Amino acid sequence: MIEKVKGRVIKLGDNIDTDVIYPGRYLPIIDAEEMGLHALEGLDPDFPSKIKKGDIIIAGKNFGCGSSREQAATCLKSAGISAVVAKSFSRIFFRNGINQGIPIVVSDEAPDRVNDGDEVEIDFSTGEIKLSEGETISFREFPDFIFSILDAGGLIPYVKNKLEVEK
Amino acid sequence: MGKTFVEQILSKKSGNDVKQGQIVEVEPDLCMSHDNAGLVIKKFNEIGKKSVWKTENIFIILDHRAPSESIKTANEHKIIRDFVAEQGINNFFDIGEGICHQVIVEKLFILPGQVAIGTDSHTTSYGSISAFSTGIGATEMAAVWATGKIWLKVPESYKVIIKGDCPHGVFSKDIILYIIGELGCDGAIYKSIEFSGETVEKMTISDRFVLSNLSMEMGAKSAVTAFDRVTEEYIRERGVFAFEPIFADKDAEYEKVFEYDVSNLEPQVACPHSVDNTKPVSEMKDIKVNQVFIGSCTNGRMDDLEITAKILEGKKIAKDIRLIIGPASKEIYSSAIKEGLFDTFLQAGAVIINPGCGPCLGAHQGIIGDGEVAVTTTNRNFRGRMGSTKGYVYLVSPATAAATAITGVITDPREFL
C-alpha cells in the first residue's frame, strides 16, 4: 500500500506542457530509465541532474497539457519523482501518471503555500499534505479503483493481476 | 433534464443509463495508434497476453517519423511491422498513407455514433463527424488491446455556439484560436464540447475537423459537432450508408454555454509559447519569419492547399524564408498534384514533403534552430515544439501562413485575397 511519500519540493508554474517535460526529439526512446535522463529538459538542460530521488513536483494549473505521450509521466518516475501535486492536470497526463504508478494529487492550496526546496509529506491514508512548518492541507482522495491501480504499481501490473484472477 | 451528446453515447455504449460524473466501462469501436505503437507493443508484451482482444478494431498508421529519421525509429517501425504480421492486424498503414487522424476520417474508419480512443491527443478530431473520440497513453492502449475495455468518466459538457458570417480571409482556424484565447489553454479540461450555431452549420467537415482538433488545446476530452446534412453527405459520398448517429437531447444540461459572434473577427495568431496567447493579426508588427509550414492534421487538407495556392499563384516567397508544405494524406497529395497545385507551390519556392507529422512535433523535415521564428498551420507552439527551445512558433491559418511566406513577416492574408 502506498501510504506516504516524503520529499523535497520542486516548484513549477502553470501550464507545464509535455514538450518541456519530455521534448519530442526523445520520443523514439523506449527504455524507461533512459527517458528519466531527459526529464524536464525543455525547462532547463541541466534539470535532470538536479532531480533527487523522492522529489515531489508541486505545480500550478494545467500540468502536463499537450501531447498524449506517456513518456512525460514515465520520465518523471524514472528520474525519481515520487508524486506530482498541481492545481489541475490535463486529463491525459492525469491518466498517464496513474497508469505509470505515480501518485497525482489535485490541490488548489498547496502550490501557493510551498517554496522550492521545502520538505513536504503526502499522506494518502488521511488525504493530507504536511507542509514543512507542520501545517496540513487536505486533498480529495482518488476513487478506490484508481487507488488499486497505484497500489499495484501501475496499470500493467494491475491488468496482469486481474487477468490472472479471471483465469 | 435530457442528456448531452456524451451522456447519450456513453450510456448506449456501456449499456447503463449514465449522467455526467459517473464512470463507465466501454469497448471502443476504434483503437488508433501511430509510431508510438512500438511502446504499446512493449507494454502489451509486459502484460503477457498472447493475442489482442480483437484485430479488426485496432488501427496502426505510421506518420510521426515517416519515413524513419533515425536507426531507433527504423527499429521501432520494424517491431510494429513484425507485430501486426504476427497478430494478423490488417488495419496497418505503413509510411506514406497520411497523418493518422486525417486517414481515419477520410477513409471513415470511424462513423457517427461510435467511440474511438487513440494514443494521440488530437484524437478529438473525429468529433467532426459526430463520433466520441479521445486521446490516451500507450500503457492504457496496451491494456485495451489485452482486455477490450477502457474506463471513462462521463464528462460535463460545454455548449459553444458560433454565430455570424465568417468574414473574408477568416477561417475556422481563426475562430477556434480566438475561442482558445478567450477560454484559456485550461478552459475546457475534462469537458466535452458541443459546437453549434449557424456558422458551424455552414462549415464543411474539414472546417469542423479544425474545431475538434484544436479543442484539445484547451484541455477538452472530446469536441463534437452534431450530425447533420453536411455530415451525412460527407459520409454517403464516400460510399457508406449504414451508421447510427447519436444526438444530444434538446433539453440537455450544459455546465456552461458560450456564444461567439464572428462577423467582425480578424485573422488570429497564437503567439509563443502558448496556444491561448492569441492576438489579431493587425497587432503583429514586423515579426520576421525564418520558416513557414503549411500542413499537419490541423490544416493540411485540400481546402487548405487550395487557399495556399490561390495566394502563392504567380508569386515568389520572400528571400531568406523557407516554405514547407505537407499535404495531410496520400489522397490529398494525389488530388493536389491533379489540380496542379504542386506547380504553383514549387514555382513559388516551396519544398513539398510527404504526408506526415514531422515538422509539427519537431521530429524531422523542418526543425527550427536557435532564435528562429516559425509560422505554422499546426496545433502547438510550446517552447521547443518545433526544435530548438530557443525558437519561436506562431500558429495561424493556411492563408495567413501563405501571405507570410511571400512577405517574410507575419502578414494579414486579406491583402492577398
Side-chain angles (χ1 to χ4, degrees):
Chain A
M1 278 287 278
I2 300 179
E3 274 184 0
K4 284 178 188 173
V5 295
K6 194 175 177 180
R8 184 187 68 160
V9 172
I10 295 179
K11 197 175 170 185
L12 301 173
D14 291 337
N15 305 319
I16 299 297
D17 64 67
T18 48
D19 279 83
V20 306
I21 301 172
Y22 194 75
R25 62 183 173 280
Y26 300 124
L27 288 174
I29 296 172
I30 50 171
D31 179 68
E33 292 308 310
E34 194 183 344
M35 290 174 198
L37 304 176
H38 304 292
L40 292 162
E41 210 178 275
L43 279 183
D44 166 6
D46 298 328
F47 219 109
S49 59
K50 292 179 188 164
I51 300 171
K52 279 199 306 195
K53 196 170 163 38
D55 280 357
I56 294 171
I57 289 177
I58 301 195
K61 58 178 190 169
N62 204 19
F63 187 87
C65 58
S67 164
S68 66
R69 60 185 72 154
E70 73 181 23
Q71 291 90 331
T74 316
C75 76
L76 296 180
K77 190 181 185 189
S78 299
I81 299 294
S82 62
V84 185
V85 181
K87 289 188 181 178
S88 61
F89 289 88
S90 88
R91 59 161 285 278
I92 305 181
F93 185 90
F94 183 91
R95 289 183 85 112
N96 284 342
I98 304 288
N99 290 341
Q100 298 310 309
I102 307 179
I104 299 290
V105 175
V106 180
S107 169
D108 247 340
E109 241 181 291
D112 296 331
R113 291 181 57 186
V114 297
N115 294 307
D116 200 53
D118 283 0
E119 283 285 329
V120 299
E121 185 181 272
I122 304 172
D123 189 333
F124 294 97
S125 59
T126 59
E128 281 176 338
I129 304 171
K130 280 192 193 125
L131 305 181
S132 45
E133 320 80 84
E135 289 175 80
T136 60
I137 298 169
S138 41
F139 61 88
R140 204 168 50 160
E141 290 175 78
F142 310 114
D144 283 349
F145 79 100
I146 290 187
F147 214 87
S148 333
I149 297 173
L150 281 174
D151 255 352
L155 187 66
I156 297 296
Y158 174 79
V159 170
K160 230 175 146 167
N161 296 344
K162 227 175 131 182
L163 291 175
E164 280 296 314
V165 172
E166 282 169 16
K167 256 188 217 165
Chain B
M1 268 298 180
K3 284 192 162 74
T4 60
F5 173 81
V6 277
E7 287 172 336
Q8 291 282 20
I9 198 165
L10 294 178
S11 291
K12 187 179 170 199
K13 290 297 288 186
S14 68
N16 294 307
D17 185 27
V18 291
K19 296 289 279 176
Q20 58 184 51
Q22 285 178 262
I23 287 169
V24 297
E25 215 176 36
V26 296
E27 182 182 46
D29 298 294
L30 167 72
C31 299
M32 194 283 301
S33 290
H34 46 66
D35 306 41
N36 62 14
L39 190 53
V40 182
I41 293 165
K42 183 173 182 249
K43 296 290 175 179
F44 178 78
N45 289 336
E46 282 174 25
I47 294 171
K49 223 175 156 223
K50 282 207 174 61
S51 47
V52 298
W53 114 95
K54 230 183 213 181
T55 51
E56 60 270 31
N57 293 30
I58 298 173
F59 283 70
I60 299 174
I61 303 167
L62 299 185
D63 60 3
H64 270 51
R65 291 155 197 274
S68 54
E69 90 306 352
S70 65
I71 297 171
K72 254 194 169 116
T73 299
N75 286 335
E76 288 247 333
H77 284 179
K78 200 165 161 272
I79 291 170
I80 297 168
R81 290 184 191 110
D82 290 346
F83 183 83
V84 297
E86 183 190 300
Q87 293 279 330
I89 295 170
N90 296 323
N91 299 312
F92 169 65
F93 298 88
D94 214 316
I95 62 160
E97 191 64 41
I99 302 174
C100 57
H101 306 308
Q102 178 57 30
V103 173
I104 296 285
V105 172
E106 197 173 84
K107 298 198 182 297
L108 294 176
F109 293 145
I110 189 79
L111 287 168
Q114 291 188 328
V115 170
I117 50 167
T119 48
D120 190 277
S121 56
H122 294 110
T123 301
T124 53
S125 304
Y126 321 152
S128 56
I129 54 167
S130 310
F132 173 84
S133 56
T134 198
I136 57 167
T139 293
E140 188 108 50
M141 185 60 89
V144 179
W145 282 6
T147 64
K149 294 268 169 20
I150 185 164
W151 68 267
L152 294 167
K153 188 169 150 193
V154 184
E156 297 84 18
S157 297
Y158 284 177
K159 187 172 191 145
V160 175
I161 304 165
I162 307 172
K163 285 182 169 169
D165 286 329
C166 205
H168 191 56
V170 175
F171 303 87
S172 64
K173 179 66 165 282
D174 300 297
I175 295 175
I176 190 67
L177 285 180
Y178 176 76
I179 293 174
I180 297 169
E182 290 291 301
L183 295 182
C185 61
D186 64 339
I189 293 184
Y190 280 103
K191 310 300 177 191
S192 167
I193 297 176
E194 290 182 29
F195 289 104
S196 62
E198 58 188 39
T199 317
V200 181
E201 284 162 22
K202 284 183 207 153
M203 282 183 179
T204 62
I205 295 299
S206 177
D207 292 332
R208 294 174 183 183
F209 191 117
V210 179
L211 300 182
S212 293
N213 176 278
L214 271 166
S215 291
M216 170 59 212
E217 302 311 320
M218 43 184 171
K221 180 171 191 165
S222 75
V224 298
T225 297
F227 179 90
D228 63 5
R229 198 172 287 264
V230 177
T231 333
E232 189 167 356
E233 273 171 25
Y234 176 89
I235 293 168
R236 289 192 194 284
E237 267 171 23
R238 281 162 177 75
V240 175
F241 300 94
F243 46 89
E244 290 175 48
I246 283 175
F247 299 91
D249 288 327
K250 287 210 164 53
D251 60 344
E253 191 182 350
Y254 294 92
E255 188 176 295
K256 286 181 186 169
V257 178
F258 300 92
E259 202 171 309
Y260 299 97
D261 184 339
V262 297
S263 338
N264 295 311
L265 192 71
E266 261 192 64
Q268 301 287 308
V269 181
C271 301
H273 297 286
S274 181
V275 186
D276 60 358
N277 188 16
T278 53
K279 294 188 174 109
V281 71
S282 58
E283 285 180 23
M284 298 285 111
K285 302 284 184 217
D286 303 321
I287 297 177
K288 210 182 157 331
V289 178
N290 303 98
Q291 180 175 298
V292 170
F293 174 57
I294 298 172
S296 82
C297 56
T298 311
N299 279 124
R301 278 174 291 282
M302 273 313 281
D303 52 339
D304 302 315
L305 301 183
E306 280 163 353
I307 193 79
T308 300
K310 193 175 169 193
I311 291 172
L312 292 178
E313 183 71 55
K315 297 192 181 65
K316 295 270 181 228
I317 60 169
K319 200 172 163 281
D320 302 331
I321 204 166
R322 312 181 294 269
L323 170 62
I324 300 169
I325 299 178
S329 71
K330 187 152 81 182
E331 189 180 307
I332 296 164
Y333 201 89
S334 170
S335 303
I337 291 175
K338 282 191 197 120
E339 283 193 20
L341 306 186
F342 275 28
D343 282 339
T344 308
F345 297 158
L346 292 171
Q347 276 163 27
V351 172
I352 304 167
I353 59 169
N354 62 290
C357 312
C360 174
L361 80 151
H364 63 150
Q365 294 177 316
I367 290 175
I368 60 166
D370 296 349
E372 285 200 315
V373 173
V375 162
T376 169
T377 68
T378 56
N379 42 50
R380 279 190 190 128
N381 58 355
F382 300 159
R383 194 184 295 279
R385 171 74 179 178
M386 290 183 78
S388 170
T389 51
K390 297 188 186 94
Y392 302 88
V393 179
Y394 293 80
L395 308 179
V396 297
S397 77
T400 304
T404 299
I406 295 169
T407 62
V409 291
I410 296 180
T411 299
D412 189 332
R414 292 172 296 186
E415 295 169 25
F416 290 88
L417 287 167

